[in-house]
């Protein structure tokens, strides 16, 4: 099971509506994950609010990669 699927199942059990969840399960690292996720986000037709879920170990790296990607 991919990490995306595990988190998806957890969020569904927490009551998050399935239509609010988008899975990115093709990446092999944080950089690919953010690039692929931005493609999903950019494909949305409406103004989209996004929440990035990570942990303390990954937050600084995630923020730095997002900044490098112009986000």
């Amino acid at each position: 099971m991919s990490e995306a699927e595990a988190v998806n199942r957890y969020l569904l059990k927490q009551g998050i509506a399935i239509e609010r969840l988008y899975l990115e399960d093709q990446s092999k690292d944080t950089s690919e994950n953010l690039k692929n996720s931005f493609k999903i986000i950019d494909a949305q037709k409406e103004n989209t609010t996004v929440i990035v879920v990570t942990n303390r170990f990954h937050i600084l790296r995630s923020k730095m990669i997002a900044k490098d990607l112009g986000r």
Side-chain angles (χ1 to χ4, degrees):
M1 174 187 320
S2 70
E3 186 175 15
E5 181 59 31
V7 172
N8 185 60
R9 290 180 185 189
Y10 172 79
L11 292 172
L12 289 171
K13 286 182 182 178
Q14 299 306 307
I16 304 297
I18 194 166
E19 61 271 4
R20 294 181 63 200
L21 301 174
Y22 297 86
L23 275 71
E24 190 294 294
D25 60 359
Q26 301 302 306
S27 61
K28 304 291 186 250
D29 59 36
T30 305
S31 182
E32 278 186 9
N33 181 256
L34 287 170
K35 286 177 190 174
N36 293 340
S37 294
F38 287 137
K39 288 178 187 175
I40 294 169
I41 294 163
D42 292 342
Q44 301 305 305
K45 303 289 185 207
E46 64 223 26
N47 188 4
T48 305
T49 300
V50 176
I51 298 171
V52 176
V53 179
T54 189
N55 61 32
R56 288 181 190 204
F57 179 78
H58 288 112
I59 190 69
L60 178 60
R61 179 175 51 177
S62 298
K63 289 172 79 172
M64 289 170 54
I65 293 169
K67 185 176 180 180
D68 287 345
L69 295 172
R71 302 297 179 132

